[in-house]
Amino acid sequence: MMPSYFFAHGAPSLVLDELEYTTFLKSFSTTIPKPKAIVLFSAHWESRTQTVSDVPSTYSTIYDFSGFQDELYEMTYPARGEGSVSKEIEQLFKKHGIESAIDVERGLDHGAWAILKLMYPDADIPVITLSVNRYHTNEEQYRIGKALAELREKDVLIIGSGGTVHNLRRLNWRADVAEAWAEAFDKWLEDKLLAWDTQALFEYRAQAPYAVEAVPTNEHFIPLLLAMGAGDGNRQAKLLHRSYQYGTLSLSCWQFN
């Protein structure tokens, strides 16, 4: 069965950076069989209704950032959609009592294309993107991911793309080591994920050290719970990579089996 994954997508410039993390992403595809399709929840697509992409051809590219290198605005990731998978997702949500809608126009934001361009540069795997809703409870986020778990049996790769420590106001552009508070939050998170302690994770805001600093807004944390929910069957978590950029921007990858 295909594992589900959480990937940090970092800053938009990640796709141009030469880091331990980008080296990890570039080699990731060699560690699993080639997926039939990629289903990706992006922190940069927010919607009150759970929305599923169903583009009829190839995706356009969304440049949802400003002030970065000119080269970034010339990049594209012309992956195609896959209507049959989009419809299957819609049916799974219906089966589990989750309201959803279809979007046939939206392109890929950098939460999707920046990591996919590093992982699967040929853009030859169909992609279905899904929105996140910051107003759901953490339990509901997990349940949404869990609703899609059976896709893993069909060689579909489920990804949550966000960031565990994501506070843009606390970035130190000159830092070459991680801030202690960022590491403390991620270490607490590691302990709870490895123990599959969902109750603690659902209450991370109250329980985790430096939670307010690490997660000032929750849209980047939500994809972790979605990916974890998709791995609910065996409840095994594994940290594949963790490093930091700009002192506090966490670059991590979690695998859920």
Side-chain angles (χ1 to χ4, degrees), residues 4-177:
S4 57
Y5 292 88
F6 169 82
F7 289 96
H9 58 247
S13 56
L14 180 74
V15 71
L16 298 177
D17 293 332
E18 294 184 6
L19 307 168
E20 288 183 15
Y21 186 53
T22 56
T23 298
F24 164 79
L25 290 176
K26 289 175 182 177
S27 65
F28 172 80
S29 65
T30 65
T31 66
I32 63 171
K34 187 173 182 178
K36 170 188 172 183
I38 297 171
V39 171
L40 187 147
F41 291 91
S42 173
H44 286 268
W45 185 8
E46 293 191 59
S47 175
R48 287 287 190 127
T49 299
Q50 179 61 64
T51 310
V52 183
S53 70
D54 187 6
V55 297
S57 55
T58 58
Y59 285 93
S60 60
T61 304
I62 301 174
Y63 306 102
D64 51 337
F65 47 82
S66 60
F68 287 88
Q69 302 97 316
D70 291 343
E71 185 179 351
L72 283 176
Y73 302 92
E74 299 172 0
M75 288 187 172
T76 61
Y77 192 77
R80 70 186 190 278
E82 179 51 69
S84 63
V85 179
S86 296
K87 288 177 177 58
E88 186 170 4
I89 291 170
E90 187 180 25
Q91 289 303 309
L92 286 171
F93 283 148
K94 183 177 181 180
K95 173 183 174 182
H96 290 273
I98 297 166
E99 181 185 2
S100 67
I102 291 290
D103 185 289
V104 299
E105 297 181 349
R106 193 177 190 277
L108 297 178
D109 58 61
H110 90 266
W113 67 260
I115 59 170
L116 292 179
K117 198 170 183 69
L118 292 168
M119 295 162 58
Y120 295 101
D122 294 335
D124 59 349
I125 301 172
V127 175
I128 298 88
T129 55
L130 294 93
S131 65
V132 301
N133 183 351
R134 69 169 69 197
Y135 300 102
H136 283 321
T137 64
N138 292 326
E139 291 90 340
E140 181 67 8
Q141 310 291 0
Y142 187 92
R143 189 171 80 89
I144 290 170
K146 186 177 178 180
L148 302 184
E150 65 184 70
L151 292 175
R152 297 170 50 214
E153 300 174 5
K154 302 176 181 180
D155 297 326
V156 173
L157 173 59
I158 300 175
I159 292 174
S161 173
T164 56
V165 180
H166 189 273
N167 188 336
L168 301 184
R169 294 187 177 185
R170 297 293 297 270
L171 297 183
N172 180 347
W173 297 95
R174 298 181 180 180
D176 54 6
V177 295

